[in-house]
Amino acid sequence: MRILVVTWGWRSHLNHLVPHAWALRAAGHDVRVACPADLTEAVTGVGLAAVPVGARLDFATVATGQIAPIRDDPVPAGDALPRSVTVGGVAHTYAATMLPDLVAFGRWFRPGLVLHEQNNLGAAVAAAALGVPSVRVLWGPDFALPIDRDAVLGPLAEPYGVAPPEVPLTGTLTLDPCPPPLQVPLAGPHRPVRFVPHNGAAVLPRWLRGPADRPRVALSQGTLMPRLGFAAFDLRTTVAALADLDAEFVLTAEPEPGQVLPPNVRAAPGLAHHLLLPTCAAVVHQGGAGTTMTAVACGVPQLILPRVGDQHFNAERVVAAGVGTALPAERARPDAIRDAVSGLIGDPLRRAAATRLRQRNDARPAPAEVTGHLTRLARTAPVRHLERAHD
């Protein structure tokens, strides 16, 4: 069967789809990954066939001003929706530039299924235009954004003969990688799947090939937020505040120019979290879905320092699940981070809760185990607008 995987925007949007694309490819299906041109090397770098579609865009540039800094006031006064999903917002911008190439390729490739991550408006419209079922793969807790279907989807969908209500924003099926109690109630048909972490290129350094001699804590700034001015913590002062803790800290970001790290802090820029976190007693991060769910899969307690909307949401779910704690920006001072890390390392209740959540994730079917269900869905789902796919 031919399967079209569609990603957009930032590399982390691709990472969540990679284990599913690998599973489908290993099952013998013909998998192509449609992506913005700047993600072509990321796709081919994980051994998948890339189909560049649309204009080359810099995600950080497009996203500037589109991402709300705080949860309680997500949009300027008078706006009804988050800017990222309004006309001209980042999700809409990527959909608009990708759709002509995406639909044209789909009409030639004739996939039986479209697989995409959440908030991918272009993939949802393309699936409707091609008349094939779509499968939405969640990043983690379902951070669904409200959307004005007529205003946002109308200009995207109507050129392909699709009315906005026909666009399956939650997919014909949703694959849910998020075990309870972390997940929120989901709308529409959904199926559990194990979260298998993929964090990009991975090289295991020698110092990770054995147990740590004291508690190890990962420090992550994420890959995008610092470029948008939303760094989780001040690197220099926070690292200095951690110097007297009896723990080993691994910084997965580049130190500041000229910064001298304390003896208990090791710089490992770009080290894949799925290699590092299984050796850690805790992880400090900004609350992005990739790091949040990798920590879940590795059974590691979390300290989240959220700065933007979905990070606040993920932090709330982590706290509600009992597997971590959170400090909002106004409280995330270096001394407060130090105290929170110290408490997290020595908290057996959160460690036990993190272990239970990991076990729940492990018990869910792996991506390879749901491929049969996906192919049956493609064969049995009602087909609409198929004649347009074959024009």
Side-chain angles (χ1 to χ4, degrees):
M1 178 177 293
R2 291 180 294 273
I3 295 174
L4 182 58
V5 177
V6 187
T7 189
W8 67 287
W10 199 243
R11 185 185 298 256
S12 57
H13 296 160
L14 167 67
N15 287 346
H16 301 284
L17 297 173
V18 169
H20 299 278
W22 280 341
L24 289 162
R25 187 77 181 96
H29 300 293
D30 187 1
V31 177
R32 310 292 172 89
V33 181
C35 63
D38 58 306
L39 288 182
T40 301
E41 291 185 3
V43 172
T44 59
V46 296
L48 297 169
V51 182
V53 293
R56 181 180 292 271
L57 300 174
D58 177 72
F59 187 78
T61 300
V62 176
T64 297
Q66 302 289 344
I67 298 177
I70 56 175
R71 177 180 56 82
D72 293 329
D73 185 21
V75 291
D79 283 358
L81 298 170
R83 285 165 288 172
S84 59
V85 292
T86 54
V87 174
V90 59
H92 180 274
T93 296
Y94 269 91
T97 190
M98 292 174 67
L99 265 168
D101 287 349
L102 185 59
V103 173
F105 175 75
R107 286 174 171 168
W108 174 81
F109 184 56
R110 297 174 63 178
L113 191 73
V114 172
L115 189 82
H116 64 90
E117 75 282 27
Q118 62 200 75
N119 297 335
N120 190 329
L121 302 182
V125 171
L130 297 173
V132 298
S134 65
V135 175
R136 180 181 65 142
V137 181
L138 294 179
W139 300 332
D142 187 10
F143 184 68
L145 295 172
I147 188 169
D148 184 328
R149 281 181 170 267
D150 290 334
V152 175
L153 292 180
L156 296 174
E158 288 166 1
Y160 305 101
V162 176
E166 296 178 293
V167 178
L169 289 177
T170 59
T172 309
L173 175 73
T174 291
L175 291 183
D176 173 22
C178 194
L182 201 65
Q183 187 57 282
V184 295
L186 299 179
H190 53 275
R191 190 175 184 89
V193 67
R194 187 184 311 162
F195 182 83
V196 177
H198 172 75
N199 312 121
V203 177
L204 186 68
R206 186 171 296 278
W207 55 269
L208 263 185
R209 303 176 197 176
D213 57 6
R214 52 182 170 168
R216 179 176 287 153
V217 179
L219 301 175
S220 173
Q221 289 273 44
T223 56
L224 175 63
M225 289 298 109
R227 291 188 61 187
L228 298 179
F230 294 123
F233 51 85
D234 179 80
L235 200 56
R236 189 177 294 272
T237 57
T238 299
V239 166
L242 300 172
D244 63 347
L245 286 182
D246 185 21
E248 174 193 351
F249 293 90
V250 180
L251 177 64
T252 60
E254 290 280 0
E256 293 182 1
Q259 182 178 7
V260 178
L261 298 178
N264 66 336
V265 179
R266 181 195 300 270
L271 178 61
H273 285 160
H274 68 268
L275 298 182
L276 173 62
L277 294 194
T279 73
C280 289
V283 56
V284 180
H285 64 105
Q286 81 287 0
T291 309
T292 299
M293 291 301 295
T294 301
V296 167
C298 297
V300 182
Q302 309 180 44
L303 169 60
I304 299 184
L305 311 173
R307 297 294 307 277
V308 301
D310 64 319
Q311 296 171 3
H312 287 284
F313 178 72
N314 291 336
E316 289 174 354
R317 299 313 307 160
V318 163
V319 171
V323 298
T325 187
L327 290 172
E330 66 272 15
R331 292 172 49 206
R333 300 179 305 275
D335 59 335
I337 295 173
R338 178 195 182 282
D339 292 345
V341 168
S342 179
L344 202 58
I345 291 173
D347 188 338
L349 294 180
R350 287 197 174 93
R351 167 61 69 177
T355 298
R356 288 193 297 271
L357 200 59
R358 175 185 60 76
Q359 292 168 341
R360 287 188 171 188
N361 181 61
D362 289 345
R364 295 162 86 84
E369 297 175 78
V370 302
T371 57
H373 182 81
L374 298 185
T375 54
R376 287 191 296 273
L377 173 68
R379 294 188 183 105
T380 60
V383 175
R384 296 175 299 168
H385 305 298
L386 191 57
E387 69 279 3
R388 294 189 181 95
H390 295 169
D391 287 347

